[in-house]
Amino acid sequence: YGKGQIFSVLLLLPVISILFLCFQVSLFNFVFLIAWALALPYAQFRPLASSICTVWTCVIIVCKMLYQLTSIDPSTFSSNCTLPGENETKVNLEELKTSVLYSGPVDPAEWVGLRKSYPLLVYLRNNLLMLAILAFEVTIYRHQEYYRCRNNLTAPVTKTIFHDITRAHLDDGLVNCVKYFINYFFYKF
């Protein structure tokens, strides 16, 4: 199938993009987890999950940018948690004093995924990178579809990288063996 075969491996890009979100655990990123947990076992839902993640990434970027406005003051919603007494908890008092919860005011927006940050581009870096990867994935899929339509080709049935390699080719040489295992990994993943 020509150039379109090479781009089949880009199915893995949405999974890689979720790894960027592991650096910031928040309620915002829970949508990505749910979307891909439902889409990975079922191939027909992957384009929908990719679209949902693209739109949700745009929403996150806009929300993070709006939170940087000077009219939003996190100290108005922040609250101080009172330190429990020694008889109220089984946790050592010294450990409680070093906890983030009791060291100062807690901003509930940080649990959602929002915080004030001065270099805004650094703060939005992971989301912008994920948006770029998702846009690249859509571009590749459109290119595959256009290439197949232009050359009167049908989409491959097996959804593998090397369509002419089967189990019978496993013992034909090292190159065919590697191709078979790449197909097997790609199919299973």
Side-chain angles (χ1 to χ4, degrees):
Y1 291 104
K3 297 176 186 174
Q5 280 182 342
I6 296 170
F7 298 120
S8 296
V9 79
L10 292 175
L11 176 68
L12 302 176
L13 284 178
V15 178
I16 293 169
S17 65
I18 291 177
L19 293 177
F20 291 119
L21 298 173
C22 292
F23 298 114
Q24 182 188 10
V25 179
S26 67
L27 185 64
F28 271 152
N29 296 338
F30 189 67
V31 174
F32 299 113
L33 179 69
I34 294 296
W36 287 111
L38 296 175
L40 281 178
Y42 306 106
Q44 66 267 22
F45 294 134
R46 289 180 190 156
L48 177 65
S50 182
S51 299
I52 289 171
C53 288
T54 303
V55 170
W56 189 247
T57 301
C58 293
V59 168
I60 289 174
I61 290 171
V62 168
C63 289
K64 285 182 175 183
M65 290 173 65
L66 288 174
Y67 194 75
Q68 303 304 314
L69 294 173
T70 55
S71 61
I72 298 176
D73 185 22
S75 63
T76 57
F77 356 106
S78 297
S79 63
N80 288 327
C81 297
T82 57
L83 198 64
E86 289 185 40
N87 295 335
E88 296 175 359
T89 182
K90 294 181 181 178
V91 179
N92 187 1
L93 192 59
E94 293 302 318
E95 290 178 24
L96 287 176
K97 288 181 182 177
T98 60
S99 171
V100 174
L101 195 59
Y102 302 111
S103 63
V106 178
D107 184 11
E110 286 189 26
W111 294 77
V112 174
L114 301 173
R115 65 179 161 82
K116 293 280 189 177
S117 181
Y118 171 63
L120 186 59
L121 193 58
V122 173
Y123 179 50
L124 296 175
R125 179 183 55 219
N126 289 341
N127 295 103
L128 292 173
L129 188 56
M130 189 170 115
L131 189 61
I133 288 172
L134 289 167
F136 185 64
E137 179 202 22
V138 169
T139 304
I140 296 303
Y141 283 135
R142 298 291 168 136
H143 178 268
Q144 281 182 329
E145 186 178 329
Y146 175 72
Y147 181 81
R148 288 183 183 129
C149 286
R150 188 179 63 201
N151 294 322
N152 293 329
L153 299 171
T154 59
V157 178
T158 59
K159 304 276 188 200
T160 57
I161 297 172
F162 305 106
H163 305 293
D164 55 339
I165 301 294
T166 62
R167 174 71 172 93
H169 297 98
L170 187 60
D171 295 328
D172 288 347
L174 186 60
V175 174
N176 286 340
C177 180
V178 170
K179 286 180 179 180
Y180 174 76
F181 282 114
I182 289 172
N183 275 349
Y184 184 74
F185 173 76
F186 188 74
Y187 166 74
K188 284 296 183 182
F189 188 72

